[in-house]
Amino acid sequence: MGRVYFIDHYDLLGRVPGMHSISRSVSARRKFPKFLALFICVISFGLVGFLDGFRSVAGRYRGVCENTTYDVRADLVLELQEGANNMLTGSLTIGPPLDGGGKLLWASRDGKKIKFTTKTTGGKIVWFGEIDGKDIGGEYFVEPEGGLGGLLGHQVEKQQGRWLVRKQ
C-alpha cells in the first residue's frame, strides 16, 4: 500500500502544491466533500424559502392597513386557524376610522398566497396577500354589493389599499 498524506492546502484545481506523487483517487476523494458541502448549502437555502409555502399560518397577526383611495391608515389584527385542504377560518379587526372587520367569510391558501373576504357596510372586501416568513401582506379591494343595501343608499364605492401584518 502507498503512503497516506494529510493534506491541508489545495491550489485552485484541488491539487497539493509540490506533492505530484498523490494518486488521482486521493485527490478525487478530497474534492468530493467540498462539492457535497456546496450542494447541501444551495439546496438548504432554496428549501427554506420553498418550505415557507407549507408552514402553518395559524396564529395572531398585528399590523396596519392603508386605504390608498382616501389615504387613511388603521391598525389591523388578523387571527387565522388552518384546517384541511388549505381552508382557513378566523377574524379580522380593523381599527378606526376604517371599517370592514369581523369574521372571515371565505379564506384559503395556496402555497405562499392567501386570499380572504370580509364584509363591510354595503359591500365586501377581498384581501390578497403573500406569506413571507412571519409577515403576510398584500392588497385589498372594496367591492360594492348590489341589492337592497344599494337601494337604501348604503352601498360603498370601489376602494383599494394595502396591508401588512406580522405574526405575534
Side-chain angles (χ1 to χ4, degrees), residues 9-17 27 31 34:
H9 178 74
Y10 296 94
D11 66 5
L12 294 176
L13 298 175
R15 297 177 300 204
V16 178
S27 180
K31 284 196 279 186
K34 288 181 183 179

Side-chain angles (χ1 to χ4, degrees), residues 1 4 13 34 39 41 58 68-69 75 80 92-93 98 101-102 105 119 128 135 137 158 162:
M1 193 86 186
V4 177
L13 298 175
K34 288 181 183 179
F39 178 74
C41 286
T68 55
T69 304
D75 291 332
L80 293 173
L92 184 71
T93 304
L98 297 177
L105 302 176
K119 184 111 176 94
F128 298 92
D135 297 335
K158 286 189 174 192
R162 57 183 168 245

Side-chain angles (χ1 to χ4, degrees), residues 65-104:
C65 65
E66 178 182 13
N67 182 315
T68 55
T69 304
Y70 292 109
D71 194 27
V72 178
R73 299 182 99 192
D75 291 332
L76 191 65
V77 177
L78 175 64
E79 295 196 38
L80 293 173
Q81 294 84 40
E82 192 163 9
N85 299 326
N86 296 323
M87 294 307 291
L88 303 171
T89 57
S91 63
L92 184 71
T93 304
I94 303 174
L98 297 177
D99 182 29
K103 181 180 176 183
L104 302 184

Side-chain angles (χ1 to χ4, degrees), residues 8-46:
D8 294 329
H9 178 74
Y10 296 94
D11 66 5
L12 294 176
L13 298 175
R15 297 177 300 204
V16 178
M19 299 201 71
H20 302 291
S21 63
I22 296 178
S23 69
R24 288 177 144 299
S25 62
V26 172
S27 180
R29 275 187 271 151
R30 299 301 271 172
K31 284 196 279 186
F32 178 74
K34 288 181 183 179
F35 170 75
L36 183 60
L38 177 62
F39 178 74
I40 290 171
C41 286
V42 169
I43 294 298
S44 296
F45 286 116

